[in-house]
Amino acid sequence: DAGITQSPRHKVTETGTPVTLRCHQTENHRYMYWYRQDPGHGLRLIHYSYGVKDTDKGEVSDGYSVSRSKTEDFLLTLESATSSQTSVYFCASSRSGPLNTEAFFGQGTRLTVV
Amino acid sequence: EDQVTQSPEALRLQEGESSSLNCSYTVSGLRGLFWYRQDPGKGPEFLFTLYSAGEEKEKERLKATLTKKESFLHITAPKPEDSATYLCAVTYGQNFVFGPGTRLSVLP
């Protein structure tokens, strides 16, 4: 199994505060992704990275930013958390782009914005 | 409109009762279709990739098939440990989209 870990696993934060979620992978995968999962919507791509310092927006990127300074780490920042960002966030990684190979997912971070 | 749908939304089976889950897509230029399994409180786990109509993949009690408009995940003689949400995802153009999933419960 690919080694991919997320931290924290659970977080409660107040509206308007910045929040950073961390993802770490040990497989030397080039591609990394952040998804959110909400009832009725399934998994939706927020941002993805195709290399160190190379990132691009996904379907639901508004209000989120990402950074990737090392191959193994991918950070997701909620610049000013809102209640609509209450969700379960999943990080994933893959050897090559999403078009070709399967992705390996972390265990998820449950974020509650109050 | 490009879309990925799954049916049924939820399915309850008795142990040993075979059935199929459906993933339908209306996208142009399909490049691949993926099946994942997700257990409660965990991230999705990869099962299969299918690339062209007529392709089939098998793993234990699961068999995935692909046509030009849909994919089926056949579950033969399921066991309670097969209970999970099954997600399909498609890649087309530069896009990668998940369906909403089918929640499967297998009762002993």
Side-chain angles (χ1 to χ4, degrees):
Chain A
D1 290 345
I4 183 162
T5 56
Q6 295 182 228
S7 62
R9 293 292 314 279
H10 302 271
K11 185 170 182 66
V12 180
T13 192
E14 294 186 348
T15 298
T17 61
V19 176
T20 295
L21 307 183
R22 291 172 170 76
C23 179
H24 179 80
Q25 55 108 348
T26 59
E27 299 299 313
N28 200 33
H29 286 165
R30 179 183 175 189
Y31 286 79
M32 297 186 75
Y33 316 84
W34 276 107
Y35 287 90
R36 60 179 290 174
Q37 187 172 41
D38 305 287
H41 288 281
L43 281 159
R44 292 180 292 173
L45 183 65
I46 304 171
H47 282 280
Y48 71 97
S49 170
Y50 48 96
V52 173
K53 295 192 185 337
D54 293 322
T55 64
D56 206 348
K57 296 179 179 180
E59 178 187 358
V60 289
S61 60
D62 287 347
Y64 302 95
S65 63
V66 290
S67 66
R68 191 165 179 204
S69 59
K70 296 186 289 185
T71 298
E72 56 266 36
D73 294 324
F74 193 33
L75 305 182
L76 176 71
T77 297
L78 287 64
E79 294 140 9
S80 177
T82 68
S83 58
S84 65
Q85 294 176 311
T86 292
S87 186
V88 180
Y89 291 85
F90 287 99
C91 175
S93 71
S94 64
R95 178 173 48 82
S96 61
L99 307 178
N100 299 313
T101 62
E102 67 270 25
F104 298 90
F105 284 80
Q107 296 281 63
T109 295
R110 183 172 295 276
L111 176 67
T112 303
V113 183
V114 298
Chain B
E1 179 187 354
D2 294 335
Q3 199 169 11
V4 181
T5 59
Q6 291 188 246
S7 61
E9 182 176 330
L11 180 63
R12 301 182 80 179
L13 300 174
Q14 290 295 134
E15 184 173 2
E17 179 187 2
S18 300
S19 188
S20 297
L21 312 182
N22 177 265
C23 172
S24 295
Y25 55 92
T26 54
V27 303
S28 299
L30 179 77
R31 301 185 62 158
L33 186 142
F34 299 76
W35 281 98
Y36 286 83
R37 167 192 171 127
Q38 186 174 22
D39 293 303
K42 295 189 176 182
E45 178 184 348
F46 170 77
L47 294 173
F48 304 109
T49 308
L50 302 167
Y51 291 107
S52 57
E55 189 174 358
E56 299 181 351
K57 295 276 181 71
E58 285 190 69
K59 179 180 180 180
E60 297 180 357
R61 295 176 292 282
L62 301 177
K63 179 180 178 181
T65 62
L66 181 65
T67 71
K68 289 186 176 180
K69 291 297 181 185
E70 60 192 347
S71 176
F72 291 94
L73 185 64
H74 307 279
I75 303 176
T76 302
K79 299 181 177 182
E81 52 262 43
D82 294 322
S83 297
T85 296
Y86 290 85
L87 306 170
C88 72
V90 300
T91 64
Y92 60 102
Q94 296 297 314
N95 302 296
F96 183 68
V97 177
F98 277 88
T102 292
R103 190 170 64 255
L104 175 66
S105 300
V106 182
L107 308 176

